Amino acid sequence: MEQIERIMKMEQCLDASEKAIRELSEALSAFEEVQAQYRQLSGYYGSDQWIEDYEDDEAGKLPKDLKRGVLSEDAVYDLITENRELLVRMLRLVTAALESDTL
């Protein structure tokens, strides 16, 4: 019975791994696709243009119904921080995988 249990357990490992790898691949594709927009946003944040837009918002010069999360002082900064932490996490994961004996 030990052999059957082992095979069943490894089959579960295979299924879970296939699913996670497929989902990660899809997520990485979406991440890659948005990088040009992310770089544009990152460059805008804190720029002279952003400061002007922020000040105009504070002065009430922008429409009240305008979505303005990009002008908050935290939303873009938090996204930049989260993006960096994710990149570091991916780098550590890749490094650990490459240093292990099994890939």
Side-chain angles (χ1 to χ4, degrees), residues 92-103:
R92 287 182 178 146
L93 180 64
V94 168
T95 301
L98 292 174
E99 288 176 345
S100 73
D101 292 335
T102 58
L103 291 175

Side-chain angles (χ1 to χ4, degrees), residues 11-30:
E11 192 65 28
Q12 289 174 344
C13 291
L14 175 64
D15 292 344
S17 297
E18 284 177 337
K19 181 179 185 283
I21 290 170
R22 182 177 48 255
E23 290 172 354
L24 178 59
S25 179
E26 292 168 1
L28 280 174
S29 292

Side-chain angles (χ1 to χ4, degrees), residues 43-55:
Y44 168 69
Y45 181 69
S47 70
D48 291 342
Q49 188 66 57
W50 181 89
I51 292 168
E52 178 184 337
D53 295 345
Y54 177 82
E55 290 173 351

Side-chain angles (χ1 to χ4, degrees), residues 14-84:
L14 175 64
D15 292 344
S17 297
E18 284 177 337
K19 181 179 185 283
I21 290 170
R22 182 177 48 255
E23 290 172 354
L24 178 59
S25 179
E26 292 168 1
L28 280 174
S29 292
F31 184 76
E32 288 172 331
E33 289 173 15
V34 79
Q35 286 307 292
Q37 291 178 327
Y38 171 80
R39 284 189 297 277
Q40 186 177 9
L41 173 64
S42 181
Y44 168 69
Y45 181 69
S47 70
D48 291 342
Q49 188 66 57
W50 181 89
I51 292 168
E52 178 184 337
D53 295 345
Y54 177 82
E55 290 173 351
D56 285 351
D57 184 40
E58 290 292 305
K61 295 180 181 178
L62 301 177
K64 297 295 180 201
D65 62 344
L66 178 66
K67 187 175 178 188
R68 59 177 39 79
V70 73
L71 299 179
S72 74
E73 295 190 46
D74 293 332
V76 180
Y77 177 82
D78 290 349
L79 180 68
I80 290 169
T81 301
E82 186 175 351
N83 187 69
R84 184 183 186 290

